[in-house]
């Protein structure tokens, strides 16, 4: 280690120098920052009118940007005058400030009564219809019961043959599938 220690040189100022905290900068916050602040304060329409009043398509672009960042719900991307199947199926939705979409009566009734089973069924059916799943399928057995004796037998087999329980289960499924293909018996 040298006996003489000298001071390190001061970094240059200007655009390539040290970064200063935002509070020390002379710049005002960017448009995106002001847009986010207006959104949080609930004055988005007013802000957009001030900033982008005469600029064509600026409002649409801003709403898409907010939708892409997750700050606003993403809008359906349609050209003016054209309706897609999404806009046709959402016929009960009211447009305008302060108005919420209307839900079907069955859904509203189930939600008010707290009937989660009916509500879940209605929403699942609607999801299947909208996603192209078609008619709801018949449900299989609700619960599967394992006998303790069967589980103990599987554990014994695994211990006697020095293999894991997962291996025994996988082997049992493989043998079952082979027998089903040959006999068709469940």
């Amino acid at each position: 280690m040298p006996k003489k220690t000298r001071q390190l040189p001061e970094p240059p100022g200007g655009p390539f120098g040290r970064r200063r905290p935002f509070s020390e900068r002379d710049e005002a916050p960017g448009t995106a920052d002001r847009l986010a602040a207006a959104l949080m304060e609930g004055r988005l329409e007013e802000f957009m009118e001030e900033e982008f009043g005469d600029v064509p398509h600026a409002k649409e672009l801003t709403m898409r940007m907010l939708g892409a960042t997750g700050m606003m719900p993403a809008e359906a991307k349609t050209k003016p005058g054209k309706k897609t199947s999404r806009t046709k199926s959402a016929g009960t939705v009211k447009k305008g400030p302060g108005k919420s979409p209307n839900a079907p009566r069955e859904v509203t009734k189930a939600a008010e009564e707290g009937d989660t089973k009916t509500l879940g069924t209605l929403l699942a059916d609607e999801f299947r219809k909208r996603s192209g799943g078609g008619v709801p399928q018949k449900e299989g057995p609700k619960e599967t019961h394992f006998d303790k004796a069967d589980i103990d037998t599987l554990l014994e087999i695994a211990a006697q043959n020095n293999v894991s329980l997962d291996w025994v289960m996988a082997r049992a499924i493989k043998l079952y599938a082979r027998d089903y293909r040959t006999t068709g018996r469940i």
Side-chain angles (χ1 to χ4, degrees), residues 35-108:
L35 178 66
L39 179 65
M40 293 300 141
E41 294 169 359
R43 53 179 193 86
L44 180 64
E45 293 294 327
E46 177 185 322
F47 174 80
M48 289 175 62
E49 190 60 40
E50 288 173 5
E51 286 291 319
F52 314 119
D54 297 338
V55 182
H57 303 294
K59 183 177 180 181
E60 180 184 347
L61 181 63
T62 304
M63 295 306 283
R64 283 188 184 187
M65 181 189 77
L66 290 174
T69 58
M71 298 173 95
M72 294 282 288
E75 297 280 329
K77 297 174 184 172
T78 60
K79 293 184 179 179
K82 289 189 176 182
K83 286 190 174 185
T84 62
S85 61
R86 172 177 271 176
T87 55
K88 288 178 186 174
S89 67
T92 58
V93 176
K94 294 180 183 177
K95 297 273 182 169
K99 295 182 180 178
S100 62
N102 290 334
R105 276 188 221 166
E106 302 88 23
V107 173
T108 307

Side-chain angles (χ1 to χ4, degrees), residues 5 20 23 31 34-35 47 60 80 90 130 140 147 156 160:
T5 58
R20 297 177 294 181
S23 60
T31 304
R34 293 192 322 257
L35 178 66
F47 174 80
E60 180 184 347
R130 290 186 184 202
D147 292 332
E156 281 179 34
Q160 288 173 356

